[in-house]
Amino acid sequence: MASTSDTNVSPIIEAFYQYFLLRDVFAKIVPGFFVISSFTWIWQNSTLFAYSTGSLSWYLVFVGIGLCWLLGFAIQSFGEAIGAVKHCPDRYKDDDKRYRLRILFSNTAARPQRQQVERYTIVKEATGNGATALIILQALVIVKAVYLLALSDDRIPTTQILAHTAMILIIFAPLMWALLKSSASHRDKQYKYMEMVEEMSSAEPSS
């Protein structure tokens, strides 16, 4: 028999999947916050950034979360435009074919199966949008380096600018590649799983 605590926790976990709360957090808010913080850190004084984030009121925190969530959609749209974010395998590029599978899956899948597909979707979107956020970060770093080199400021040696830029690119480029691979892998797993559920449902004798 399930305990009272298990009974209380189950609807909460279900809500995270049913209402896409996890997807909003990991695929929208986190990449949005990463881009905002990266832009501020790169183009502003890092000490000022740390002080300002440490003294925010709760009201501004909620506003910031909302802005990060909205920016997450912009990041996803940019990722789709450059090919970093793809929502389905190439064999399902046709809208009618893709929607038919999703409708069949929705009509036949049990709750655990729908949750499994949502897990794949969360990882797929989080890694794809995360990779796009890293692409934006690297672009910001390169733009900042070009800006500093154009200033011809002797206080910052050219070698230091280039070394700093190269270090960031070397660190984040492999991570970006790994996130893109993970997004593609979970995209394939998501649709293979839906196909399998639909095939198994079709093979079952009707009552």
Side-chain angles (χ1 to χ4, degrees):
M1 180 181 296
S3 64
T4 304
S5 60
D6 292 338
T7 304
N8 293 334
V9 171
S10 181
I12 298 176
I13 297 176
E14 173 69 15
F16 276 109
Y17 288 104
Q18 183 176 356
Y19 299 107
F20 311 115
L21 297 180
L22 290 178
R23 199 190 304 187
D24 284 337
V25 171
F26 292 108
K28 301 297 187 299
I29 295 175
V30 171
F33 175 78
F34 181 82
V35 169
I36 290 176
S37 58
S38 298
F39 180 84
T40 308
W41 188 271
I42 291 171
W43 287 95
Q44 303 295 329
N45 182 275
S46 59
T47 303
L48 176 63
F49 170 75
Y51 173 78
S52 61
T53 53
S55 59
L56 290 176
S57 66
W58 281 108
Y59 171 76
L60 291 178
V61 169
F62 283 115
V63 171
I65 291 174
L67 290 175
C68 290
W69 181 70
L70 291 174
L71 182 58
F73 286 97
I75 293 170
Q76 180 170 310
S77 179
F78 177 70
E80 293 169 354
I82 64 175
V85 174
K86 296 181 180 179
H87 297 286
C88 63
D90 291 340
R91 65 183 182 278
Y92 282 103
K93 283 186 175 181
D94 179 71
D95 290 343
D96 291 341
K97 184 178 180 181
R98 182 172 69 255
Y99 294 152
R100 187 177 296 109
L101 174 65
R102 296 190 70 91
I103 292 172
L104 288 173
F105 175 82
S106 298
N107 291 336
T108 58
R111 178 192 300 178
Q113 294 168 335
R114 290 195 296 268
Q115 288 185 351
Q116 181 60 48
V117 167
E118 181 61 18
R119 291 187 186 100
Y120 288 139
T121 304
I122 291 169
V123 178
K124 175 190 70 176
E125 291 193 5
T127 51
N129 291 349
T132 305
L134 289 179
I135 292 172
I136 295 172
L137 166 63
Q138 294 174 87
L140 290 173
V141 169
I142 293 173
V143 170
K144 180 64 177 293
V146 172
Y147 171 76
L148 292 176
L149 291 173
L151 287 179
S152 300
D153 192 344
D154 295 335
R155 292 176 298 177
I156 307 178
T158 300
T159 53
Q160 180 180 337
I161 296 172
L162 295 177
H164 183 259
T165 303
M167 180 186 66
I168 294 178
L169 296 180
I170 290 172
I171 292 173
F172 286 105
L175 179 57
M176 175 197 68
W177 177 83
L179 289 175
L180 289 173
K181 293 287 289 183
S182 178
S183 181
S185 173
H186 283 82
R187 180 174 65 243
D188 290 337
K189 289 177 182 178
Q190 175 193 7
Y191 276 83
K192 286 179 181 178
Y193 188 84
M194 287 193 295
E195 289 173 343
M196 183 176 295
V197 171
E198 195 275 327
E199 289 174 1
M200 292 174 63
S201 176
S202 300
E204 291 180 356
S206 57
S207 57

